[in-house]
């Protein structure tokens, strides 16, 4: 069964460093998302991406964050200068569509980011 | 505003039914979802319901939606120890490119 994959599973970085989190969405999906879950808190929406551009972003997704689909399979989240409060589990998700019968949004296993 | 609330903990005996409840505030919700998260794992989509439906059944899972009260529930019949996990309720907002708004999650503990 197709699934969303994410690498690495755990990333440790020092404050101020840049990190890139990688995701491979399900192959026929067109909509891509990043969410994060700070330990003990709710899963929060960061950004949605369609047709090679951001379709919506949350207040969390400030200038330190960027997303890219560098090729036909990968979807990346970059944090330019990490802060301690960026420590969280980051989930990538994808869906076939945003309408009709394809509202199912499938999540990857997550990347745990630890900023020291 | 957009908000989803869930009770934080539920404990049931193996073989009993579990009912996990959720309330949401946004009346423009289109789809409502239930996700399961096992320890150290990602979010597994269990089921979802369109906002113009009242009920959806899928094997041991029954979703009930009361749109007037903005109340969603997930019933798990014949609960097993493998059902122990955190269950998240989520809503998608019409016109929001399907971003999901999650509740805090209900931890289900199944004991013998």
């Amino acid at each position: 069964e197709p699934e969303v994959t994410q690498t690495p599973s755990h990333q440790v970085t020092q404050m101020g460093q840049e990190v890139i989190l990688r995701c491979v969405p399900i192959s026929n999906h067109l909509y891509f998302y990043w969410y994060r879950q700070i330990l003990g808190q709710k899963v929060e929406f960061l950004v949605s991406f369609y047709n090679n551009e951001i379709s919506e972003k949350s207040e969390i997704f400030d200038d330190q964050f960027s997303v890219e689909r560098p090729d036909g399979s990968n979807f990346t989240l970059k944090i330019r200068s990490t802060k301690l409060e960026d420590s969280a589990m980051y989930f990538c998700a994808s869906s076939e569509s945003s309408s009709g019968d394809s509202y199912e949004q499938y999540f990857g296993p997550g990347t745990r980011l630890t900023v020291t | 505003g957009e908000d989803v609330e869930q009770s934080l903990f539920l404990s049931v005996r193996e073989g009993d039914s579990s009912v996990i409840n959720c309330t949401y505030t946004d009346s423009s919700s289109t789809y409502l979802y239930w996700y399961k998260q096992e320890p150290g794992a990602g979010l597994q989509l269990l089921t979802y319901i369109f906002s113009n439906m009242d009920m959806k059944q899928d094997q041991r899972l029954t979703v009930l939606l009361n749109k007037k009260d903005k109340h969603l529930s997930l019933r798990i019949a014949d609960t097993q120890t493998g059902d122990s996990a955190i269950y998240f309720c989520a809503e998608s907002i019409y016109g929001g490119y399907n971003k999901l708004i999650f509740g805090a999650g209900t931890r289900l503990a199944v004991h013998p």
Side-chain angles (χ1 to χ4, degrees):
Chain A
E1 187 172 318
E3 57 183 16
V4 178
T5 59
Q6 291 185 244
T7 53
S9 56
H10 191 192
Q11 173 91 48
V12 181
T13 189
Q14 288 190 325
M15 197 166 53
Q17 295 296 303
E18 174 183 287
V19 294
I20 298 176
L21 310 183
R22 301 179 193 279
C23 168
V24 179
I26 294 173
S27 62
N28 64 331
H29 284 188
L30 302 176
Y31 288 80
F32 314 114
Y33 311 85
W34 284 100
Y35 294 81
R36 79 172 185 191
Q37 184 181 30
I38 295 171
L39 189 63
Q41 297 188 23
K42 291 185 179 185
V43 176
E44 302 171 290
F45 168 78
L46 292 177
V47 65
S48 59
F49 190 87
Y50 169 70
N51 199 26
N52 280 321
E53 61 182 26
I54 290 173
S55 44
E56 188 171 2
K57 60 183 180 180
S58 71
E59 290 176 357
I60 303 166
F61 195 88
D62 61 21
D63 293 344
Q64 293 300 311
F65 291 87
S66 62
V67 289
E68 196 178 30
R69 188 151 162 84
D71 52 42
S73 59
N74 290 283
F75 179 51
T76 61
L77 174 69
K78 185 195 300 188
I79 310 174
R80 287 190 186 81
S81 177
T82 50
K83 302 189 276 284
L84 293 176
E85 53 265 37
D86 294 327
S87 294
M89 181 73 92
Y90 287 80
F91 292 107
C92 174
S94 69
S95 65
E96 187 175 348
S97 174
S98 70
S99 63
D101 293 333
S102 298
Y103 265 115
E104 293 121 356
Q105 202 166 121
Y106 293 94
F107 282 71
T111 293
R112 180 164 297 285
L113 177 65
T114 302
V115 182
T116 62
Chain B
E2 306 157 347
D3 196 18
V4 178
E5 296 292 335
Q6 298 178 242
S7 53
L8 295 182
F9 189 74
L10 177 66
S11 177
V12 298
R13 192 188 306 271
E14 192 174 11
D16 287 352
S17 292
S18 309
V19 179
I20 302 170
N21 294 300
C22 169
T23 57
Y24 59 97
T25 55
D26 201 306
S27 58
S28 59
S29 296
T30 49
Y31 283 86
L32 294 134
Y33 300 79
W34 286 103
Y35 283 86
K36 176 183 180 183
Q37 186 181 38
E38 295 181 77
L43 298 166
Q44 176 195 352
L45 177 62
L46 288 178
T47 187
Y48 63 94
I49 188 168
F50 188 45
S51 57
N52 68 353
M53 296 169 65
D54 298 324
M55 186 183 89
K56 181 178 180 180
Q57 187 150 5
D58 186 359
Q59 300 182 339
R60 291 192 297 124
L61 306 178
T62 303
V63 179
L64 294 178
L65 175 61
N66 181 327
K67 197 172 180 183
K68 175 176 167 289
D69 294 338
K70 299 191 182 72
H71 182 265
L72 181 75
S73 67
L74 174 70
R75 179 177 178 270
I76 305 172
D78 187 25
T79 313
Q80 302 298 308
T81 54
D83 295 323
S84 295
I86 300 176
Y87 290 81
F88 291 93
C89 169
E91 61 172 348
S92 69
I93 308 299
Y94 177 75
Y97 289 94
N98 207 26
K99 75 172 183 185
L100 300 183
I101 308 299
F102 283 85
T106 299
R107 182 177 295 277
L108 175 65
V110 183
H111 55 87

